[in-house]
C-alpha cells in the first residue's frame, strides 16, 4: 500500500518481475496483470478532499511490461472519485467503483434520516465503464448508480418512500451497519470495495463492506435503463437482481441471520474451475473475530435469482468455507480466488500472508511477504 511497485512472484516465492510506476504514486488498492503482460493499476491521489473513506484512488494507470506509462486517466473531483477496485473487461474497457457526492439537502430529500448523518455530505457508490482512448483520455460508456435504486420508510414527504420489506431489489438509504462503531454514520455510507464481471451472464457483482452485503446487477442495460427498473436481459433495469450476506438490510431477517462481516473481494469462480459459477468472497469477520474464505451458491434458476415471498435470498450459508479460527483475523483488506487446480488462494492482507488451501481445508502452500 505504501509502494509504487507491484511484484510478480512464483510458487517458490521468488520475485520474477516487478513494475514501478513512473508517477511515483502508491496504489489505490487494486492491480491486475493483463494478458499481454501490461499492468492495470489504481493510484491513490491522497485524501485532500471532503471525504472520510479509505481506499481512495482517483487515477488509473496502464504500464507496459517494462513499466512505461502507456495510458493514464484521472477521475477525481469535487463530485466524484474512484476508489478501491476495478475490473478489466473482455472488450478492453474496465469497470470502476466511484463515490458520487451528495449534499446534505440532497441526502435528506432522498429520505436519509438526518440523525444518521455525522457529516454534511453523503457519498453513495456508482459503477462506471471506462473506455481508454489514446494515452490520457477516456470515454464513460456505461454507468450505474445506487442513488437510482433506493427505498426509505422514514419520511413520507421525501423521495423513495415505501415499504422496505416489499422492495428487496432496492437499498434502504437509512440502513447503516458499518463495522466502524465509533462513527457508523460517516459519509462513506456503503464502502463498496470489490467488483467482478461475469461475461456469460453479463452481470456485475459488487461487495459493499458497510452494509455487509454483496449485490448482483445487470450489465446488459443501457445507462438509461440502468437508472430505471426495466430493461436489460433481466427486464429489471438497474435494480438489484440478488443480494446476500445481511437480510436484515431488507427486513427479511435479524442480526442473527447475518452471514457477511465487513467482507472484501467478491468474484465469480471462473468456468472450468471447482465450483464454477458460484461466488467466492473474503469474509473479514468483524464482530465474530475471525476471517474466512466463503463460497456462495446463488439460487439461479432459468436466468433468475429465485426469492420466495417474505423470505431472504438463499443460500442459508456458504457451500464451502475455510478459516483458521481467531488465529487469522483481518480487520481490513483480504482477497480470495479459486485456482485452476481446485485449490483456493487466500490473501491475509494485514499480515502480508498468502495461503493456498485444498478443498479439504489443508494449507498446501504459504507465503509471507518479507
Amino acid at each position: 500500500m505504501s509502494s509504487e511497485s507491484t511484484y510478480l512472484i512464483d510458487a517458490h516465492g521468488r520475485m520474477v518481475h516487478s513494475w514501478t510506476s513512473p508517477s511515483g504514486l502508491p496504489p489505490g488498492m487494486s492491480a491486475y496483470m493483463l494478458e499481454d503482460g501490461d499492468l492495470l493499476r489504481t493510484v491513490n491521489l491522497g485524501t485532500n478532499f471532503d471525504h472520510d473513506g479509505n481506499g481512495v484512488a482517483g487515477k488509473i494507470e496502464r504500464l507496459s511490461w517494462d513499466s512505461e506509462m502507456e495510458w493514464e486517466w484521472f477521475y477525481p473531483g469535487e463530485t466524484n472519485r474512484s476508489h478501491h477496485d476495478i475490473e478489466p473487461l473482455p472488450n478492453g474497457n474496465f469497470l470502476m467503483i466511484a463515490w458520487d457526492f451528495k449534499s446534505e439537502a440532497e441526502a435528506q430529500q432522498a429520505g436519509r434520516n438526518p440523525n444518521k448523518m455525522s457529516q454534511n455530505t453523503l457519498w453513495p457508490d456508482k459503477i462506471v465503464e471506462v473506455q481508454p482512448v489514446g494515452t490520457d483520455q477516456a470515454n464513460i460508456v456505461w454507468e450505474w448508480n445506487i442513488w437510482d435504486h433506493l427505498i426509505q420508510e422514514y419520511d413520507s414527504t421525501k423521495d423513495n418512500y415505501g415499504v422496505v420489506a416489499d422492495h428487496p431489489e432496492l437499498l434502504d438509504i437509512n440502513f447503516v451497519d458499518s463495522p466502524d462503531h465509533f462513527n457508523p454514520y460517516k459519509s462513506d455510507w456503503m464502502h463498496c470495495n470489490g467488483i467482478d464481471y461475469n461475461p456469460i451472464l453479463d452481470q456485475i457483482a459488487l461487495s459493499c463492506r458497510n452494509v455487509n452485503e454483496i449485490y448482483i446487477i445487470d450489465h446488459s442495460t443501457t445507462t438509461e435503463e440502468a437508472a430505471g427498473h426495466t430493461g436489460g436481459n433481466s427486464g429489471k433495469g438497474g435494480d438489484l437482481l440478488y443480494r446476500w450476506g445481511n437480510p436484515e438490510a431488507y427486513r427479511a431477517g435479524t442480526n442473527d441471520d447475518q452471514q457477511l462481516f465487513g467482507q472484501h473481494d467478491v468474484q465469480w469462480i471462473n468456468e472450468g474451475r471447482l465450483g464454477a459459477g458460484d461466488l467466492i468472497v473474503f469474509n473479514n469477520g468483524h464482530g465474530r473475530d475471525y476471517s474466512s474464505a466463503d463460497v456462495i451458491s446463488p439460487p439461479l434458476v432459468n436466468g433468475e435469482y429465485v426469492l420466495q415471498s417474505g423470505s431472504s435470498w438463499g443460500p442459508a450459508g456458504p457451500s464451502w468455507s475455510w478459516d483458521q479460527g481467531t488465529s487469522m483475523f483481518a480487520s481490513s483488506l483480504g482477497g480470495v480466488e479459486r485456482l485452476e487446480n481446485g485449490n483456493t488462494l487466500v490473501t491475509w492482507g494485514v499480515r502480508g500472508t498468502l495461503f493456498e488451501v485444498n478443498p479439504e481445508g489443508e494449507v498446501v502452500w504459504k507465503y509471507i511477504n518479507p
Side-chain angles (χ1 to χ4, degrees):
M1 289 169 60
S2 61
S3 170
E4 67 274 14
S5 296
T6 303
Y7 304 99
L8 182 67
I9 63 169
D10 66 11
H12 299 284
R14 298 174 297 201
M15 187 184 79
V16 295
H17 190 69
S18 66
W19 299 260
T20 300
S21 172
S23 68
L25 293 170
M29 300 291 188
S30 185
Y32 291 87
M33 186 175 71
L34 305 179
E35 289 186 2
D36 63 357
D38 283 4
L39 187 78
L40 191 68
R41 71 189 292 264
T42 60
V43 178
N44 185 345
L45 295 181
T47 56
N48 57 337
F49 68 120
D50 184 22
H51 188 269
D52 58 2
N54 296 315
V56 174
K59 184 188 180 189
I60 313 295
E61 297 177 345
R62 180 167 180 157
L63 307 181
S64 72
W65 180 259
D66 297 321
S67 297
E68 296 176 350
M69 188 76 74
E70 294 186 337
W71 178 81
E72 56 183 333
W73 183 65
F74 294 85
Y75 197 72
E78 295 182 357
T79 60
N80 50 61
R81 179 171 290 208
S82 65
H83 66 95
H84 284 91
D85 200 12
I86 55 176
E87 171 68 7
L89 298 177
N91 63 2
N93 298 346
F94 64 88
L95 299 171
M96 181 175 71
I97 306 172
W99 286 301
D100 184 28
F101 170 85
K102 300 297 178 183
S103 67
E104 186 174 20
E106 287 176 308
Q108 292 184 16
Q109 182 59 40
R112 180 77 170 195
N113 182 345
N115 295 323
K116 292 189 175 183
M117 292 189 67
S118 63
Q119 291 149 312
N120 60 1
T121 58
L122 196 66
W123 288 75
D125 279 294
K126 66 179 181 179
I127 300 170
V128 293
E129 181 178 343
V130 179
Q131 178 189 50
V133 176
T135 59
D136 59 1
Q137 300 293 315
N139 296 321
I140 294 177
V141 298
W142 183 85
E143 185 170 325
W144 173 90
N145 198 321
I146 191 61
W147 202 250
D148 300 315
H149 305 279
L150 300 176
I151 186 80
Q152 57 91 12
E153 50 193 18
Y154 170 74
D155 189 339
S156 62
T157 69
K158 297 296 193 294
D159 299 342
N160 307 307
Y161 185 74
V163 179
V164 172
D166 292 344
H167 294 279
E169 77 280 6
L170 305 175
L171 184 63
D172 180 5
I173 192 175
N174 289 309
F175 184 78
V176 178
D177 199 24
S178 169
D180 184 0
H181 300 297
F182 297 104
N183 184 13
Y185 303 137
K186 59 186 181 180
S187 299
D188 185 16
W189 158 47
M190 299 174 65
H191 196 88
C192 298
N193 56 22
I195 188 169
D196 195 48
Y197 175 69
N198 187 316
I200 298 173
L201 301 174
D202 200 5
Q203 294 176 358
I204 296 168
L206 185 66
S207 163
C208 297
R209 173 184 182 269
N210 284 0
V211 279
N212 300 298
E213 285 192 296
I214 53 178
Y215 306 115
I216 292 177
I217 61 171
D218 194 344
H219 175 259
S220 70
T221 58
T222 64
T223 294
E224 183 180 10
E225 290 171 336
H229 311 287
T230 59
N233 294 338
S234 67
K236 299 179 180 180
D239 285 346
L240 305 179
L241 304 181
Y242 177 72
R243 62 198 297 182
W244 194 83
N246 197 7
E248 185 181 15
Y250 54 104
R251 311 297 192 273
T254 68
N255 187 257
D256 293 336
D257 299 307
Q258 183 175 339
Q259 294 282 338
L260 295 177
F261 305 87
Q263 78 288 340
H264 286 75
D265 195 30
V266 66
Q267 52 185 273
W268 274 281
I269 297 176
N270 290 341
E271 288 297 298
R273 303 187 183 186
L274 182 66
D278 287 348
L279 295 168
I280 191 166
V281 65
F282 186 89
N283 194 353
N284 290 69
H286 276 277
R288 66 178 193 184
D289 300 327
Y290 70 93
S291 300
S292 59
D294 295 344
V295 173
I296 300 113
S297 302
L300 184 61
V301 180
N302 297 324
E304 186 166 346
Y305 297 92
V306 177
L307 174 64
Q308 301 298 327
S309 178
S311 66
S312 62
W313 264 292
S319 58
W320 183 87
S321 186
W322 175 81
D323 67 80
Q324 291 196 314
T326 55
S327 64
M328 187 183 79
F329 172 64
S331 58
S332 62
L333 308 175
V336 63
E337 182 175 352
R338 181 58 55 83
L339 304 176
E340 292 180 357
N341 63 4
N343 295 346
T344 302
L345 181 70
V346 182
T347 66
W348 186 10
V350 293
R351 293 293 181 90
T353 302
L354 316 181
F355 299 100
E356 182 181 344
V357 183
N358 69 18
E360 292 71 43
E362 300 168 327
V363 176
V364 297
W365 182 84
K366 181 178 178 181
Y367 172 84
I368 300 175
N369 185 349

